[in-house]
Amino acid sequence: MAIPESRTRQRLAEEAARIILEEGVRDYGLAKRKAADHLGMTGRPELPTNTEVETALLERNRLFADPESRLEYADRLRAAALVMERLEHLEPRLVGPLLLGILEPQPVINLHGFAETVEEVIIDLGERGIHCRSGERHYRGGSTGIRAPFLSFRGPEGLDIELTVFPQDGIRQAPPSPVDGRPMSRLNLAGVRALLKEAEAALDQTAQ
């Protein structure tokens, strides 16, 4: 008997989530194609949406949560808060997997910051003894999309930081999410501290 299309999409989403979390694949499209190949469904099924894959990611993260992963999550949030404190003049916002509670195998803290120019941020980091690499990120939206520079550097506990720099008025409107095209979820320093407090409380309950 043929497997219902909805179940096929679910299996593909679950396998794509496993690939993202275990193999460190960050591109949802690539993860879905690899999932179809692993399950022997190449060229046959309709692939799940990015939103379906993200839902599977969150569910897998919940099912496989253990004290060690919860501790790791709190440690990463603590590192994110520390970086955001040091860059408070850029009004940083936490974005990406860590904000959702997803622990990537290759930990990266994704931040948005706001300044008149990316050059002034590079100079500021250099004066603090932080050397960074630069690149450009492309977001969907409008006729040509949105392009924004990003800086990569090493943060606390050896974690990699990716700071995307937007114009100062960019704080009013988040760019489209690569997952569903809606404005990206962003969390300020106060929000990250609150999230960390919740994570630490969960750890205390586990230890009791």
Side-chain angles (χ1 to χ4, degrees), residues 72-97:
E72 178 67 20
Y73 177 58
D75 286 344
R76 293 188 193 182
L77 281 178
R78 196 172 295 110
L82 181 57
V83 174
M84 294 172 75
E85 288 170 4
R86 293 174 178 174
L87 302 177
E88 198 164 8
H89 59 292
L90 299 177
E91 300 186 75
R93 300 291 191 266
L94 178 66
V95 299

mmCIF file of all heavy atoms in Angstrom, residues 72-97:
data_model
loop_
_atom_site.group_PDB
_atom_site.id
_atom_site.type_symbol
_atom_site.label_atom_id
_atom_site.label_comp_id
_atom_site.label_asym_id
_atom_site.label_seq_id
_atom_site.Cartn_x
_atom_site.Cartn_y
_atom_site.Cartn_z
ATOM 1 N N GLU A 72 24.390 22.701 27.836
ATOM 2 C CA GLU A 72 25.025 23.319 26.681
ATOM 3 C C GLU A 72 24.208 24.509 26.175
ATOM 4 O O GLU A 72 24.755 25.544 25.803
ATOM 5 C CB GLU A 72 25.201 22.284 25.571
ATOM 6 C CG GLU A 72 25.808 22.830 24.274
ATOM 7 C CD GLU A 72 27.247 23.265 24.430
ATOM 8 O OE1 GLU A 72 27.902 22.825 25.397
ATOM 9 O OE2 GLU A 72 27.714 24.049 23.592
ATOM 10 N N TYR A 73 22.889 24.359 26.178
ATOM 11 C CA TYR A 73 22.010 25.446 25.740
ATOM 12 C C TYR A 73 22.173 26.666 26.644
ATOM 13 O O TYR A 73 22.309 27.794 26.163
ATOM 14 C CB TYR A 73 20.562 24.959 25.748
ATOM 15 C CG TYR A 73 19.552 26.009 25.389
ATOM 16 C CD1 TYR A 73 19.608 26.679 24.174
ATOM 17 C CD2 TYR A 73 18.518 26.332 26.270
ATOM 18 C CE1 TYR A 73 18.670 27.646 23.842
ATOM 19 C CE2 TYR A 73 17.577 27.288 25.943
ATOM 20 C CZ TYR A 73 17.653 27.945 24.729
ATOM 21 O OH TYR A 73 16.725 28.896 24.406
ATOM 22 N N ALA A 74 22.199 26.440 27.959
ATOM 23 C CA ALA A 74 22.375 27.550 28.891
ATOM 24 C C ALA A 74 23.744 28.208 28.699
ATOM 25 O O ALA A 74 23.862 29.441 28.744
ATOM 26 C CB ALA A 74 22.213 27.056 30.331
ATOM 27 N N ASP A 75 24.776 27.402 28.468
ATOM 28 C CA ASP A 75 26.121 27.949 28.265
ATOM 29 C C ASP A 75 26.174 28.830 27.019
ATOM 30 O O ASP A 75 26.804 29.894 27.018
ATOM 31 C CB ASP A 75 27.141 26.813 28.134
ATOM 32 C CG ASP A 75 27.433 26.134 29.461
ATOM 33 O OD1 ASP A 75 27.103 26.718 30.509
ATOM 34 O OD2 ASP A 75 27.973 25.017 29.443
ATOM 35 N N ARG A 76 25.514 28.397 25.955
ATOM 36 C CA ARG A 76 25.524 29.191 24.723
ATOM 37 C C ARG A 76 24.740 30.491 24.902
ATOM 38 O O ARG A 76 25.138 31.540 24.385
ATOM 39 C CB ARG A 76 24.958 28.373 23.569
ATOM 40 C CG ARG A 76 25.836 27.190 23.177
ATOM 41 C CD ARG A 76 25.339 26.528 21.892
ATOM 42 N NE ARG A 76 25.968 25.229 21.684
ATOM 43 C CZ ARG A 76 25.753 24.462 20.632
ATOM 44 N NH1 ARG A 76 24.905 24.862 19.688
ATOM 45 N NH2 ARG A 76 26.361 23.291 20.504
ATOM 46 N N LEU A 77 23.618 30.409 25.615
ATOM 47 C CA LEU A 77 22.855 31.632 25.891
ATOM 48 C C LEU A 77 23.688 32.603 26.731
ATOM 49 O O LEU A 77 23.661 33.816 26.504
ATOM 50 C CB LEU A 77 21.564 31.293 26.634
ATOM 51 C CG LEU A 77 20.403 30.753 25.815
ATOM 52 C CD1 LEU A 77 19.232 30.422 26.729
ATOM 53 C CD2 LEU A 77 19.962 31.766 24.755
ATOM 54 N N ARG A 78 24.426 32.058 27.689
ATOM 55 C CA ARG A 78 25.271 32.894 28.545
ATOM 56 C C ARG A 78 26.350 33.581 27.710
ATOM 57 O O ARG A 78 26.637 34.779 27.900
ATOM 58 C CB ARG A 78 25.903 32.023 29.638
ATOM 59 C CG ARG A 78 26.493 32.811 30.802
ATOM 60 C CD ARG A 78 26.913 31.877 31.928
ATOM 61 N NE ARG A 78 25.777 31.201 32.528
ATOM 62 C CZ ARG A 78 25.509 29.898 32.399
ATOM 63 N NH1 ARG A 78 26.314 29.119 31.672
ATOM 64 N NH2 ARG A 78 24.466 29.366 32.987
ATOM 65 N N ALA A 79 26.942 32.848 26.780
ATOM 66 C CA ALA A 79 27.953 33.428 25.901
ATOM 67 C C ALA A 79 27.334 34.497 25.006
ATOM 68 O O ALA A 79 27.936 35.558 24.775
ATOM 69 C CB ALA A 79 28.600 32.336 25.050
ATOM 70 N N ALA A 80 26.129 34.238 24.510
ATOM 71 C CA ALA A 80 25.448 35.222 23.662
ATOM 72 C C ALA A 80 25.182 36.500 24.439
ATOM 73 O O ALA A 80 25.393 37.612 23.928
ATOM 74 C CB ALA A 80 24.139 34.637 23.133
ATOM 75 N N ALA A 81 24.720 36.359 25.681
ATOM 76 C CA ALA A 81 24.441 37.529 26.509
ATOM 77 C C ALA A 81 25.713 38.342 26.757
ATOM 78 O O ALA A 81 25.688 39.581 26.734
ATOM 79 C CB ALA A 81 23.809 37.102 27.833
ATOM 80 N N LEU A 82 26.832 37.646 26.979
ATOM 81 C CA LEU A 82 28.099 38.333 27.231
ATOM 82 C C LEU A 82 28.534 39.142 26.014
ATOM 83 O O LEU A 82 28.945 40.303 26.127
ATOM 84 C CB LEU A 82 29.173 37.313 27.613
ATOM 85 C CG LEU A 82 30.567 37.873 27.929
ATOM 86 C CD1 LEU A 82 30.497 38.890 29.053
ATOM 87 C CD2 LEU A 82 31.523 36.744 28.289
ATOM 88 N N VAL A 83 28.439 38.541 24.830
ATOM 89 C CA VAL A 83 28.795 39.258 23.601
ATOM 90 C C VAL A 83 27.875 40.459 23.399
ATOM 91 O O VAL A 83 28.313 41.548 23.029
ATOM 92 C CB VAL A 83 28.720 38.311 22.383
ATOM 93 C CG1 VAL A 83 28.943 39.093 21.087
ATOM 94 C CG2 VAL A 83 29.760 37.218 22.496
ATOM 95 N N MET A 84 26.589 40.250 23.627
ATOM 96 C CA MET A 84 25.630 41.334 23.441
ATOM 97 C C MET A 84 25.879 42.480 24.417
ATOM 98 O O MET A 84 25.694 43.657 24.079
ATOM 99 C CB MET A 84 24.204 40.795 23.580
ATOM 100 C CG MET A 84 23.829 39.828 22.460
ATOM 101 S SD MET A 84 22.236 38.992 22.700
ATOM 102 C CE MET A 84 21.107 40.338 22.294
ATOM 103 N N GLU A 85 26.318 42.154 25.632
ATOM 104 C CA GLU A 85 26.677 43.200 26.599
ATOM 105 C C GLU A 85 27.849 44.026 26.084
ATOM 106 O O GLU A 85 27.860 45.260 26.170
ATOM 107 C CB GLU A 85 27.030 42.569 27.937
ATOM 108 C CG GLU A 85 25.835 41.998 28.689
ATOM 109 C CD GLU A 85 26.262 41.173 29.885
ATOM 110 O OE1 GLU A 85 27.487 41.110 30.178
ATOM 111 O OE2 GLU A 85 25.380 40.577 30.538
ATOM 112 N N ARG A 86 28.844 43.344 25.520
ATOM 113 C CA ARG A 86 30.037 44.040 25.021
ATOM 114 C C ARG A 86 29.724 44.881 23.785
ATOM 115 O O ARG A 86 30.426 45.860 23.497
ATOM 116 C CB ARG A 86 31.125 43.009 24.702
ATOM 117 C CG ARG A 86 31.656 42.296 25.938
ATOM 118 C CD ARG A 86 32.626 41.176 25.562
ATOM 119 N NE ARG A 86 33.160 40.525 26.749
ATOM 120 C CZ ARG A 86 33.942 39.446 26.721
ATOM 121 N NH1 ARG A 86 34.275 38.905 25.548
ATOM 122 N NH2 ARG A 86 34.388 38.909 27.846
ATOM 123 N N LEU A 87 28.698 44.486 23.052
ATOM 124 C CA LEU A 87 28.322 45.211 21.833
ATOM 125 C C LEU A 87 27.018 45.983 22.026
ATOM 126 O O LEU A 87 26.295 46.250 21.069
ATOM 127 C CB LEU A 87 28.163 44.227 20.664
ATOM 128 C CG LEU A 87 29.377 43.378 20.302
ATOM 129 C CD1 LEU A 87 29.031 42.410 19.180
ATOM 130 C CD2 LEU A 87 30.551 44.269 19.902
ATOM 131 N N GLU A 88 26.743 46.359 23.255
ATOM 132 C CA GLU A 88 25.445 46.960 23.569
ATOM 133 C C GLU A 88 25.191 48.247 22.787
ATOM 134 O O GLU A 88 24.049 48.592 22.497
ATOM 135 C CB GLU A 88 25.334 47.220 25.073
ATOM 136 C CG GLU A 88 23.916 47.423 25.539
ATOM 137 C CD GLU A 88 23.772 47.290 27.050
ATOM 138 O OE1 GLU A 88 24.803 47.180 27.748
ATOM 139 O OE2 GLU A 88 22.620 47.304 27.531
ATOM 140 N N HIS A 89 26.272 48.946 22.421
ATOM 141 C CA HIS A 89 26.106 50.195 21.655
ATOM 142 C C HIS A 89 25.550 49.932 20.253
ATOM 143 O O HIS A 89 25.068 50.858 19.596
ATOM 144 C CB HIS A 89 27.447 50.920 21.551
ATOM 145 C CG HIS A 89 28.530 50.121 20.896
ATOM 146 N ND1 HIS A 89 29.082 48.992 21.461
ATOM 147 C CD2 HIS A 89 29.162 50.291 19.702
ATOM 148 C CE1 HIS A 89 29.998 48.499 20.646
ATOM 149 N NE2 HIS A 89 30.069 49.265 19.577
ATOM 150 N N LEU A 90 25.606 48.670 19.806
ATOM 151 C CA LEU A 90 25.049 48.308 18.499
ATOM 152 C C LEU A 90 23.611 47.801 18.618
ATOM 153 O O LEU A 90 23.020 47.389 17.614
ATOM 154 C CB LEU A 90 25.910 47.220 17.839
ATOM 155 C CG LEU A 90 27.373 47.570 17.557
ATOM 156 C CD1 LEU A 90 28.091 46.362 16.970
ATOM 157 C CD2 LEU A 90 27.477 48.767 16.613
ATOM 158 N N GLU A 91 23.056 47.848 19.837
ATOM 159 C CA GLU A 91 21.697 47.363 20.097
ATOM 160 C C GLU A 91 21.478 45.962 19.506
ATOM 161 O O GLU A 91 20.538 45.726 18.737
ATOM 162 C CB GLU A 91 20.654 48.332 19.543
ATOM 163 C CG GLU A 91 20.736 49.725 20.152
ATOM 164 C CD GLU A 91 19.601 50.617 19.683
ATOM 165 O OE1 GLU A 91 18.467 50.430 20.166
ATOM 166 O OE2 GLU A 91 19.852 51.486 18.830
ATOM 167 N N PRO A 92 22.337 45.007 19.845
ATOM 168 C CA PRO A 92 22.300 43.680 19.201
ATOM 169 C C PRO A 92 21.019 42.913 19.487
ATOM 170 O O PRO A 92 20.381 43.084 20.533
ATOM 171 C CB PRO A 92 23.522 42.976 19.797
ATOM 172 C CG PRO A 92 23.710 43.636 21.123
ATOM 173 C CD PRO A 92 23.346 45.071 20.913
ATOM 174 N N ARG A 93 20.686 42.043 18.542
ATOM 175 C CA ARG A 93 19.532 41.153 18.658
ATOM 176 C C ARG A 93 19.987 39.728 18.351
ATOM 177 O O ARG A 93 20.708 39.504 17.380
ATOM 178 C CB ARG A 93 18.428 41.550 17.669
ATOM 179 C CG ARG A 93 17.882 42.977 17.863
ATOM 180 C CD ARG A 93 17.099 43.088 19.158
ATOM 181 N NE ARG A 93 16.357 44.334 19.260
ATOM 182 C CZ ARG A 93 16.806 45.434 19.858
ATOM 183 N NH1 ARG A 93 18.050 45.449 20.366
ATOM 184 N NH2 ARG A 93 16.034 46.513 19.955
ATOM 185 N N LEU A 94 19.561 38.782 19.170
ATOM 186 C CA LEU A 94 19.850 37.379 18.910
ATOM 187 C C LEU A 94 18.851 36.849 17.884
ATOM 188 O O LEU A 94 17.648 37.099 17.990
ATOM 189 C CB LEU A 94 19.743 36.564 20.199
ATOM 190 C CG LEU A 94 19.973 35.048 20.074
ATOM 191 C CD1 LEU A 94 21.410 34.747 19.672
ATOM 192 C CD2 LEU A 94 19.621 34.343 21.386
ATOM 193 N N VAL A 95 19.349 36.116 16.900
ATOM 194 C CA VAL A 95 18.495 35.515 15.874
ATOM 195 C C VAL A 95 18.969 34.078 15.643
ATOM 196 O O VAL A 95 19.990 33.652 16.172
ATOM 197 C CB VAL A 95 18.556 36.300 14.533
ATOM 198 C CG1 VAL A 95 18.068 37.718 14.714
ATOM 199 C CG2 VAL A 95 19.982 36.298 13.965
ATOM 200 N N GLY A 96 18.228 33.344 14.830
ATOM 201 C CA GLY A 96 18.698 32.031 14.390
ATOM 202 C C GLY A 96 18.341 30.879 15.302
ATOM 203 O O GLY A 96 17.508 31.001 16.217
ATOM 204 N N PRO A 97 18.990 29.736 15.080
ATOM 205 C CA PRO A 97 18.650 28.497 15.786
ATOM 206 C C PRO A 97 18.688 28.597 17.311
ATOM 207 O O PRO A 97 17.826 28.046 17.990
ATOM 208 C CB PRO A 97 19.696 27.500 15.268
ATOM 209 C CG PRO A 97 20.062 28.023 13.917
ATOM 210 C CD PRO A 97 20.023 29.518 14.055
#
